[in-house]
Amino acid sequence: MAEHPAHAAEIDEAVRKANSHWLKSGLPRAQRRRKAEELTDHLDAAVADGRHVSDVVGNDIVAFASEWAQADRERNWVEAALFLVANLTLWVGLLALLGPLIDGRERSGMPADVALAVELAIVAAFAVWLVRWFRAQLSKQLAVVLYCLITATYLASILVVVRPIGQRDLDLELSPVVVGVLIAVGLAAQGLSIWRKRTDRT
Amino acid sequence: MSADNEARASRLMRGILDACLLALTSERDRYGYELAAALHDAGLLTVKEGSIYPLLSRLERRGLLESYRTPATGAPPRRYYRITAAGQRELASARTVWREVAGGVDATIGRSEHDPEDITHG
């Protein structure tokens, strides 16, 4: 470990940021632990040799962490597929199930503006996730611009598209069996994804 | 080295850094910091230390390297990289390619450096 407290804190902070990015990227716990251990070991040795943390990871720790995580991309495609299946099926199933509750009326359906706002939020979340996915190929500035664009587009679409629709009904008529299957598939995909992240597979 | 030259050196290294890592691990098993230090000592100063880790992960995934964890004295465990038989074959192939390319580039650049007329007049 770095002997100087300031260096130790700097190393801890760099590893914490990298680890946080790997966690958000969906890297399995075993891989996160392994990478964090290896990075700490390297930074300790580099600092002991009189170099700075930035000499190792550069000035953009997220870009560094993202590039390293992408080296395991083969496995992450599986995570991506599970993520898509889990979210699409769960959201559609839950919208169909909870529509009448949100609507406040007895029949099936939910307010069109609420449904559209939720759907746009899903699209926006997916866009954010895509930017994070390709973070290693983007400069920090470009990533910030893209995040701002996504947020601005979402807010603009709420004002321009969603608000004028108002409280008209948007029926999402699915049979209870279909809704049940969608939610079950979504939960299974989500469970499988969590299990993969928690299982040691190095 | 100027920023432009550094960027050129970095682009050149990108295609051959994997072979350098294979070569270093073919001498003996090494850990990440050791590999970075060896590259630095060899004069490859433009290689960013952190850039070796994604590459090590890819080499390991392709079965050219394998890693193992050993406890270091008085310190947390350390991960070493070891070249595989497939890695040795890849290294031999990379060496052949490098010698051809480096020889050709050197002959071309070196020739124009000594006598610019050779290039302009064929």
Side-chain angles (χ1 to χ4, degrees), chain A residues 34 37-38 42 49 51 71, chain B residues 33 49 53 60-61 81:
Chain A
R34 173 184 159 169
E37 196 176 275
E38 208 167 5
H42 191 122
D49 276 355
R51 296 212 297 286
Chain B
Y33 184 74
E49 285 185 33
Y53 286 102
E60 196 176 0
R61 213 182 62 206
Y81 291 89

Side-chain angles (χ1 to χ4, degrees), chain A residues 57-107:
Chain A
V57 298
N59 294 317
D60 187 352
I61 183 77
V62 173
F64 164 78
S66 179
E67 194 185 346
W68 196 356
Q70 283 214 358
D72 298 299
R73 196 170 183 164
E74 197 174 67
R75 184 167 291 161
N76 281 349
W77 278 113
V78 179
E79 299 298 336
L82 285 173
F83 174 87
L84 279 179
V85 170
N87 281 281
L88 286 176
T89 52
L90 260 183
W91 276 108
V92 173
L94 287 174
L95 278 178
L97 182 71
L98 301 176
L101 296 176
I102 297 170
D103 199 5
R105 281 165 275 195
E106 288 183 3
R107 60 192 163 73

Side-chain angles (χ1 to χ4, degrees), chain B residues 32-52:
Chain B
Y33 184 74
E34 219 181 348
L35 286 165
L39 291 171
H40 194 268
D41 291 347
L44 299 173
L45 305 178
T46 56
V47 176
K48 295 271 184 295
E49 285 185 33
S51 68
I52 67 169

Side-chain angles (χ1 to χ4, degrees), chain A residues 28-29 79 82 187-199 201:
Chain A
R29 187 167 54 181
E79 299 298 336
L82 285 173
L187 288 174
Q190 190 67 45
L192 188 57
S193 175
I194 292 169
W195 176 78
R196 286 176 58 85
K197 286 175 192 172
R198 287 182 180 278
T199 311
R201 285 175 289 115

Side-chain angles (χ1 to χ4, degrees), chain B residues 54-73:
Chain B
L55 208 44
L56 287 169
S57 289
R58 288 194 187 95
L59 291 171
E60 196 176 0
R61 213 182 62 206
R62 290 171 59 198
L64 305 178
L65 286 181
E66 55 191 17
S67 70
Y68 58 94
R69 202 164 166 255
T70 57
T73 321

Side-chain angles (χ1 to χ4, degrees), chain A residues 17-34:
Chain A
K17 280 184 179 167
N19 211 7
S20 165
H21 178 79
W22 294 326
L23 178 67
K24 288 176 193 163
S25 306
L27 270 192
R29 187 167 54 181
Q31 280 191 41
R32 291 201 308 271
R33 200 184 308 146
R34 173 184 159 169

